[in-house]
Amino acid sequence: MDGESLASWVNAMSRQSGMDTTALLRELRLSREGSLNLLQVRLPESAVRHLRRETGLDEEALHAMTLARFSGTALPHLPVEPWQDAAAFSQWHSSAWLSDRRARWCPKCLRENDMRWPLRWMLPWSFACLKHSLYLATECARCLSPVYFNKHSALRRSCSAYMREHTYAYDATCGFPITQQRNLRVSDPSILILQQRINAWLDGQATTSDRQFASLTAVMVLLVTLMMMRHHGEDPALLCGLRSRPGQGTVHEWRLWEDPLRVAAAASVAHQILRSATSPADVATTIQDLRTVDHREYPCQLDVMDWAYGPALRPNLYVDELVRRGVITIGAFRRV
């Protein structure tokens, strides 16, 4: 499937052949250097050669199914040999910007493609399905628990969250089919255009304007508020669905990226700001004014490791100007 992840591809072959996924991984020699989760980051050349012989897929297609595809854009500093350098991989993995285990999905895509899913869904940049005009889901509609990939990075057909009913002392897994979820519909087509621009940047086909838009979107995920959406938002559905999370700082900021609605709101506000602002100084002034109107004059603390590795896409001309003005402060690395 075009744009498919390595994990989705392997699990689809497992279902179609009737072979256990663990056995198939051994057959494809994808468990020799480590788990599938690790090899989904980048494939060693030995694995690529074997897969070419066994499946007929070319080297370019195989590498395109791994996160290394985004090493020049959303995932900087990705280790060249993550399966051999555990320390470098651990540092990158704790600081980089991806949804490693927490799933995001479009239920209609999963129904149509027999649970196969694109690699892009592992990145917080993915907030909308262009085919079905739906915001991606991250939580079960029944129990509101996050949905996670299983040990082979496959999506389960139903929510496996553990539920406890205190009144009747009844314990069970949720079991709600994630393909039956009713995702929030994108009511403004311009949001889909913003997702297309993000996708172009991820694939290395972005214009200078697209790269600036991606950089400012990354900053606005930390700063966007409902008040900003009312002034600069494009999709009224976001005002109803956006979940406002209290607090900023190092404890909270990485969790902000887990919400596709917040990322979509950040992209919407960033787009509107860039339509009127012509320089980083103008952008900083606009953001400063918005925060004053919103009664948020205190600085937002940005984790220095996130600044270097992930969401802020360092170097970032917008971060630099906002730091100079005191809108953002750079704090010490501390993951809680």
Side-chain angles (χ1 to χ4, degrees), residues 203-244:
D203 293 336
Q205 301 170 355
T207 64
T208 300
S209 175
D210 290 336
R211 286 192 290 270
Q212 291 174 347
F213 163 64
S215 295
L216 185 57
T217 297
V219 175
M220 293 311 301
V221 171
L222 297 175
L223 302 177
V224 70
T225 64
L226 288 174
M227 182 67 74
M228 292 182 187
M229 279 297 298
R230 292 188 183 100
H231 283 278
H232 289 275
E234 295 182 87
D235 191 345
L238 284 176
L239 285 173
C240 299
L242 181 63
R243 287 157 291 186
S244 179

Side-chain angles (χ1 to χ4, degrees), residues 248-275:
Q248 295 286 342
T250 54
V251 176
H252 299 279
E253 69 186 28
W254 67 277
R255 295 175 184 154
L256 301 177
W257 305 94
E258 294 177 351
D259 188 354
L261 297 181
R262 186 176 185 90
V263 180
S268 179
V269 173
H271 172 66
Q272 292 293 339
I273 291 175
L274 287 174
R275 289 178 65 179

Side-chain angles (χ1 to χ4, degrees), residues 110 131 166 234:
L110 293 181
K131 182 178 181 180
H166 295 284
E234 295 182 87

Side-chain angles (χ1 to χ4, degrees), residues 127-143:
F127 50 80
C129 173
L130 298 177
K131 182 178 181 180
H132 299 108
S133 300
L134 296 174
Y135 288 106
L136 299 185
T138 59
E139 297 175 349
C140 170
R142 179 187 181 190
C143 68

Side-chain angles (χ1 to χ4, degrees), residues 105-113 129 132 134 178-179 181 185:
W105 74 95
C106 167
K108 290 188 177 182
C109 284
L110 293 181
R111 289 200 300 269
E112 293 172 3
N113 299 324
C129 173
H132 299 108
L134 296 174
I178 67 171
T179 56
Q181 185 123 340
R185 178 163 292 279

Side-chain angles (χ1 to χ4, degrees), residues 25-26 40 116-117 145 168 173 179 182 184 260 283 324:
L25 287 171
R26 287 197 298 267
Q40 182 147 283
R116 300 175 78 163
W117 51 276
S145 297
Y168 300 101
T173 55
T179 56
R182 293 181 178 271
L184 182 67
V283 169
R324 189 182 68 80

